[in-house]
Amino acid sequence: MKIAIIHEWLDSYAGSERVVEQMLACYPEADLFALCDFLPENQRGFLGGKVPTTSFIQRLPFARRMFRNYLQLMPLAVEQFDLQGYDLVLSSSHAVAKGVITGPGTRHISYVHSPMRYAWDLQHQYLRQAGLTRGLKGLYTRWLLGRMRAWDQMSASRPDVILGNSRYIAERIRKVWRREADVLHPPVDLDGFPLSTAPRTHFLVASRQVPYKRIELVAEAFARMPELPLTIVGDGPAAPLVAKAAAGSPNITIRGRVPQAELVSLLQTARAFVFAAEEDFGIAMVEAQSCGTPLIVYGRGGARDIVREGETGVFFEQQTPEAIIAAVRAFVAREADFTPEACAAQARQFSIPEFRRKLTGIVRMAMAPA
């Protein structure tokens, strides 16, 4: 087969790029396309030496620093890729990659990380945070997002198969595009997060400290449970809010960023990993389970795919300190039921080998003669 892999843009090695990495591992003969490629040299290893074919956005003024400002041109740019002669197109899409144009003899499978949140359900939050709720610039941005929604919904009919990275994303796809999506969870590298049966001494939060993670709620909850030690790892713009919530609580230790080896050790010795955010999937939760650590997590988003309630973790249904306290108390009451072996076994279904096995199986089915 002649295969093309399409990704929006390459500027860092992060979550969606890890999916591209595994697509390339499954199909190393594939040609790679991206709207623009500004990856630093020290992060290019996952491309296996491939140099992607890029769009005209690569050559626009100030694109290296400001390519996201060309959002209004991205639908046009992705439609300019010439994919004649390809048997299979795999797109990795969180904005426009799923909108590539393919011919009748080409099968297009789109792996969707999420429909464009800033154009759909988070539009008003995006406009508030960007200071674009009024004025001519705000009016233009609303018009632009309306145009993007119309193109986004129209182009959602182009892939032959749509894959969502969780049941939560599959439901969002159904809501905004009126398309059914199969679920293929993203690949998580579990080799660096081995199972441990070491003594477990503390509860743990490990996350970048940004507002939507709601780490301050976890700190406030544990400040009201002084008998339970909590360690908070990570930094970010919400760090002062977290520090304020933890102030005066000797049972709460804030560590900031720590080396990877130290993070793994903290995961392996945690009684439970506490997570209060609503995520599309939630790789950090899988990494914690891989170490044998149960989860106490907000029961929306990708967490519903990751946790087997009552076996590998417990949910709380509201983002409040009171709900977190109740969930922690429920966990402590039956802590012996959550074994490290069960947690690690649950994590393995999200491993890299599982992702490759499932992806190649989906491709075989899609390419089979009718």
Side-chain angles (χ1 to χ4, degrees):
M1 290 192 298
K2 189 176 181 183
I3 302 172
I5 294 174
I6 318 289
H7 190 52
E8 265 100 11
W9 51 76
L10 294 164
D11 71 319
S12 64
Y13 178 57
S16 60
E17 288 73 28
R18 294 173 191 271
V19 170
V20 173
E21 178 181 25
Q22 297 310 319
M23 288 178 172
L24 288 168
C26 292
Y27 302 104
E29 72 280 15
D31 296 325
L32 181 62
F33 295 79
L35 296 180
C36 53
D37 173 18
F38 298 118
L39 268 175
E41 285 301 321
N42 63 354
Q43 296 184 33
R44 302 190 69 84
F46 77 97
L47 297 180
K50 288 188 181 294
V51 177
T53 298
T54 56
S55 74
F56 63 81
I57 289 178
Q58 180 83 19
R59 300 177 293 279
L60 292 177
F62 312 111
R64 179 174 292 274
R65 291 185 294 108
M66 301 173 60
F67 64 86
R68 290 178 178 83
N69 290 10
Y70 292 119
L71 176 66
Q72 69 272 27
L73 297 176
M74 289 182 180
L76 174 63
V78 81
E79 290 176 346
Q80 302 312 302
F81 287 134
D82 183 1
L83 301 176
Q84 291 186 40
Y86 285 95
D87 302 296
L88 171 67
V89 170
L90 294 172
S91 60
S92 163
S93 185
H94 52 72
V96 300
K98 61 115 173 55
V100 293
I101 296 174
T102 59
T106 303
R107 300 293 285 174
H108 177 190
I109 300 174
S110 185
Y111 188 92
V112 176
H113 305 279
S114 176
M116 289 185 284
R117 285 186 171 277
Y118 44 85
W120 291 98
D121 49 313
L122 294 187
Q123 174 191 213
H124 299 294
Q125 179 180 324
Y126 164 76
L127 291 170
R128 283 194 302 272
Q129 291 176 345
L132 295 170
T133 57
R134 61 185 63 191
L136 285 176
K137 193 173 181 182
L139 183 63
Y140 167 75
T141 304
R142 291 173 187 272
W143 172 84
L144 172 61
L145 293 177
R147 291 288 300 271
M148 291 299 296
R149 280 193 297 275
W151 181 88
D152 192 47
Q153 191 167 48
M154 177 274 294
S155 63
S157 65
R158 294 177 181 173
D160 299 289
V161 177
I162 293 181
L163 305 173
N165 77 351
S166 66
R167 288 181 294 172
Y168 177 64
I169 292 301
E171 181 56 38
R172 293 192 67 245
I173 290 168
R174 186 179 302 112
K175 175 74 173 178
V176 302
W177 295 343
R178 305 304 179 186
R179 289 285 309 265
E180 293 299 318
D182 297 321
V183 174
L184 176 59
H185 298 111
V188 184
D189 186 356
L190 301 181
D191 289 345
F193 298 88
L195 170 65
S196 173
T197 55
R200 296 180 177 264
T201 58
H202 59 274
F203 293 83
L204 179 66
V205 175
S207 171
R208 179 160 168 75
Q209 296 186 20
V210 292
Y212 88 92
K213 298 286 190 178
R214 307 309 307 269
I215 299 170
E216 78 282 358
L217 298 180
V218 182
E220 185 178 339
F222 276 83
R224 291 155 59 179
M225 297 184 288
E227 74 283 7
L228 299 178
L230 173 70
T231 301
I232 300 175
V233 172
D235 61 10
L241 187 63
V242 175
K244 181 179 179 181
S249 301
N251 62 314
I252 301 176
T253 303
I254 298 178
R255 299 288 299 276
R257 295 186 67 180
V258 301
Q260 181 69 10
E262 188 172 347
L263 172 61
V264 173
S265 178
L266 287 167
L267 285 168
Q268 291 175 328
T269 55
R271 293 170 66 179
F273 183 82
V274 188
F275 197 80
E278 180 179 340
E279 293 278 21
D280 294 341
F281 180 63
I283 287 175
M285 290 184 275
V286 178
E287 292 170 341
Q289 280 195 142
S290 181
C291 292
T293 304
L295 304 176
I296 302 173
V297 297
Y298 182 45
R300 293 196 60 185
R304 286 284 173 183
D305 290 14
I306 293 168
V307 177
R308 288 207 313 270
E309 190 170 18
E311 297 180 42
T312 69
V314 299
F315 294 121
F316 50 93
E317 301 302 333
Q318 293 179 304
Q319 289 174 307
T320 64
E322 292 76 18
I324 295 170
I325 290 169
V328 172
R329 298 288 192 207
F331 169 81
V332 170
R334 47 174 304 199
E335 190 168 356
D337 295 341
F338 303 93
T339 67
E341 293 77 15
C343 294
Q346 176 69 0
R348 282 196 291 273
Q349 67 177 295
F350 309 109
S351 68
I352 287 173
E354 275 296 289
F355 177 87
R356 293 182 184 179
R357 182 183 68 81
K358 292 173 181 176
L359 177 63
T360 53
I362 290 166
V363 169
R364 279 196 300 272
M365 289 182 62
M367 299 303 294

